[in-house]
Amino acid sequence: MIRRAALLLALLLPIAAAAEEAGVLRTEAGVVARDGAATGAMVWLHPHYTEGPPPEAPAFMARLAARGWDLWRHDRPPGGPVPPASPLTSWVDPLAEGTAALRARGYARVVLVGESRGAFLALAALRVPGLADAVALAAPAAHGRRPERRAQALADFAAALDRASPDSVRRIALLLFEDDGWDPDPAARAALFRAAVARLGWDALLVDRPPAPTGHGGVQEPDFDAIFGRCLADFLEGRPAACP
């Protein structure tokens, strides 16, 4: 979706043969980053760790692209077994270095959008002051679906919020979906999120199990953009957001 839009945009810009880099972050191949001339940089943290192409950024991010935001990606090395949650912490510092590199390139604003494992990484990185202006966490998950892992999954979610720095972001959105087999306890996670943002003083948006879309990949469904796309894009930009 947004990848195709980005590649079409590249036809209108000077040609770059390879992806540009900001630490561990990359643009799409052939897309020229506009740095300070862009409205901001949006970073897509997808859930992918295995062979094959990673999922494209959710359709709602095309709304930010249309407002002048550049798309960057956080691609972890594919192949091998899916690691458990704890090694995700080894990615926190490289991710923070990447967002700092975007600032050094001239981007005035940086937004992170993570899905599943990518969202859990963004959640863990909230301990870093100055991480980003805004973060959206779509169905954060890193512990699998086995019932015996649910208690640890909820404990790690709570611990990440406990360690969060009040200066890491200004705005944060949490997106939870019905029938998400990776969510250990959506009601408890919503309550933990509300308490954390009240303590940390962040502006917050909670999409808490709407009737549609449903499932762990709800943010990728066309219904999500149709129902929540504009409101979420407005929220991440710091505009007044009229959400359902």
Side-chain angles (χ1 to χ4, degrees):
M1 296 177 187
I2 192 170
R3 182 181 300 176
R4 290 191 289 272
L7 293 177
L8 288 173
L9 179 62
L11 298 176
L12 305 177
L13 297 172
I15 299 300
E20 296 192 39
E21 299 181 358
V24 296
L25 307 180
R26 307 283 188 274
T27 64
E28 298 286 352
V31 175
V32 175
R34 292 169 290 180
D35 301 339
T39 304
M42 52 180 175
V43 181
W44 167 227
L45 292 85
H46 57 74
H48 188 71
Y49 265 99
T50 56
E51 298 292 349
E56 296 184 14
F60 86 87
M61 293 179 72
R63 297 175 183 268
L64 292 173
R67 300 175 187 179
W69 290 72
D70 284 352
L71 174 64
W72 290 76
R73 303 173 58 84
H74 182 268
D75 292 324
R76 278 88 68 201
V82 175
S86 57
L88 277 176
T89 57
S90 67
W91 281 103
V92 167
D93 288 342
L95 174 60
E97 290 163 7
T99 61
L102 292 175
R103 303 279 196 197
R105 290 181 66 119
Y107 286 104
R109 291 187 282 177
V110 176
V111 163
L112 306 182
V113 178
E115 180 186 0
S116 189
R117 187 167 289 265
F120 210 95
L121 169 57
L123 176 68
L126 293 174
R127 70 190 192 201
V128 180
L131 176 70
D133 294 276
V135 172
L137 308 172
H143 297 74
R145 293 179 289 183
R146 297 195 308 248
E148 63 268 25
R149 294 286 287 156
R150 289 176 183 165
Q152 189 62 54
L154 187 60
D156 287 349
F157 181 87
L161 291 174
D162 286 343
R163 289 192 297 265
S165 166
D167 300 318
S168 59
V169 295
R170 300 175 184 176
R171 295 175 297 281
I172 187 167
L174 176 63
L175 319 176
L176 304 176
F177 301 100
E178 287 281 9
D179 300 322
D180 180 355
W182 296 78
D183 193 325
D185 189 333
R189 295 213 295 182
L192 288 166
F193 177 76
R194 290 189 184 97
V197 297
R199 181 183 77 251
L200 294 162
W202 296 335
D203 291 336
L205 172 63
L206 175 62
V207 175
D208 188 7
R209 293 165 289 168
T214 62
H216 187 60
V219 74
Q220 294 283 357
E221 295 297 324
D223 280 356
F224 184 86
D225 181 55
I227 299 170
F228 299 104
R230 181 176 179 179
C231 116
L232 182 54
D234 287 346
F235 175 79
L236 293 175
E237 279 200 312
R239 302 185 185 194
C243 297

